[in-house]
Amino acid sequence: MQHGPAVRRRKLGAELRALRTSAGLTSGEAARLVGWHQSKVSRIETGTSGVKPADVRLLLDAYAVADTQLRDLLMVLAGSEDSGGRTHWWHAYRGVLPPTYRDFISLESQAGAMRTLETTVVPGLLQTPEYARAVTKAAVEGLPEDRLDTLVEVRLARQDVLRADPPLELSAVLDEAVLRREVGGPGVMARQLERLVEAARLPQVRLQVLPFAAGAHIGVTGPFVIFSFSSTSDLDVVVLDHLTSSLYLERKEDLQAYTEAFNALQIHALSPEDSLDFIAGTAAGA
């Protein structure tokens, strides 16, 4: 298990090394092409040192990488820009968001698909403004109103990935407790359940409910997120949230274990169609 910045450096370095090899270059030849010492290329590829987005751009040009989506993803892993040098929106909130949350948002913005098990609250990408505010206020006590407003603003801005072209494909398994836990009061919860019904009908969203009747299941240990990237599966990662930080699991064994766990949860959960009826019925009784 590694914290976000470390795993991002390792993944970025491994991908740059693979691209260099595909270009038929040694590390020394690559270094000469961009005017560096060979040791700098080696440090970047092993993830032992950070790398500036401008340096990543130089290497991608040297390796003749034309895939725009791959270039953008690697630029995000480098820290601040896409391949065109444009700063991503979440960097405007550097003074408010902890690094692990910025890492999460950057991965979310570039992922092709996201699979998530939620056992406590509605996934952030599907929260209404009122629900997001109530959850944030409960999770971080004593927040000044202006900071609370900013965090809710960020949460809503993240939802743009579902309206992107192409949109993020979201598959979510929700424990029934997510639907039953009244967050923000009856009115807020009723509107949130209606929002889930709307989201469940979107072609890029697959929602399944794991009812209490399913009993104990493999997800009782807690929620998790799996990010998958269409450009390369080597960048896929599992994210586990803790009270003060997030942990990133990227070993193939970890990815396989969590993928199998998610597949098992989908089998035990209600079908998307039955889940939609379940959510609608819960909303009607809210």
Side-chain angles (χ1 to χ4, degrees), residues 3-5 8 90 98-108 248:
H3 290 283
R8 283 155 59 96
W90 55 89
T100 51
Y101 192 18
R102 295 201 305 269
D103 282 339
F104 185 91
I105 295 172
S106 69
L107 291 172
E108 184 179 72
Y248 293 68

Side-chain angles (χ1 to χ4, degrees), residues 59-72:
L59 291 174
L60 295 177
D61 290 343
Y63 304 157
V65 178
D67 185 331
T68 302
Q69 188 176 14
L70 178 58
R71 288 177 68 102
D72 282 350

Side-chain angles (χ1 to χ4, degrees), residues 9-10 12-14 16-17 36 39-52 55-56 59:
R9 284 198 306 269
R10 194 205 68 80
L12 176 60
L16 290 172
R17 182 171 61 250
W36 299 345
S39 62
K40 180 173 180 177
V41 174
S42 297
R43 289 196 304 272
I44 290 173
E45 290 184 352
T46 57
T48 56
S49 68
V51 54
K52 297 178 180 178
D55 289 343
V56 172
L59 291 174

Side-chain angles (χ1 to χ4, degrees), residues 116-251:
T116 181
L117 165 68
E118 292 291 350
T119 59
T120 307
V121 297
V122 170
L125 295 182
L126 303 178
Q127 293 178 5
T128 64
E130 298 84 3
Y131 186 97
R133 188 177 189 85
V135 166
T136 304
K137 190 171 185 178
V140 189
E141 293 185 356
L143 269 180
E145 283 298 310
D146 58 342
R147 188 178 178 108
L148 179 58
D149 291 342
T150 299
L151 290 175
V152 172
E153 181 180 307
V154 169
R155 180 71 55 88
L156 300 180
R158 284 174 47 203
Q159 298 177 3
D160 284 345
V161 295
L162 294 176
R163 297 182 287 270
D165 185 20
L168 174 75
E169 295 182 4
L170 174 64
S171 296
V173 173
L174 309 182
D175 191 278
E176 184 178 343
V178 173
L179 310 179
R180 301 294 183 187
R181 178 170 288 102
E182 190 176 283
V183 174
V188 170
M189 199 62 204
R191 287 188 291 275
Q192 178 60 72
L193 292 174
E194 291 170 2
R195 168 70 180 122
L196 285 178
V197 170
E198 295 170 2
R201 296 192 175 110
L202 295 174
Q204 68 271 34
V205 175
R206 178 187 174 95
L207 285 186
Q208 290 182 259
V209 174
L210 195 62
F212 291 147
H217 53 78
I218 198 169
V220 294
T221 54
F224 60 85
V225 172
I226 306 172
F227 286 122
S228 299
F229 299 88
S230 54
S231 297
T232 170
S233 62
D234 288 341
L235 295 172
D236 292 358
V237 64
V238 177
V239 185
L240 306 178
D241 270 335
H242 294 264
L243 183 61
T244 58
S245 65
S246 297
L247 291 175
Y248 293 68
L249 284 65
E250 40 80 33
R251 296 185 309 162

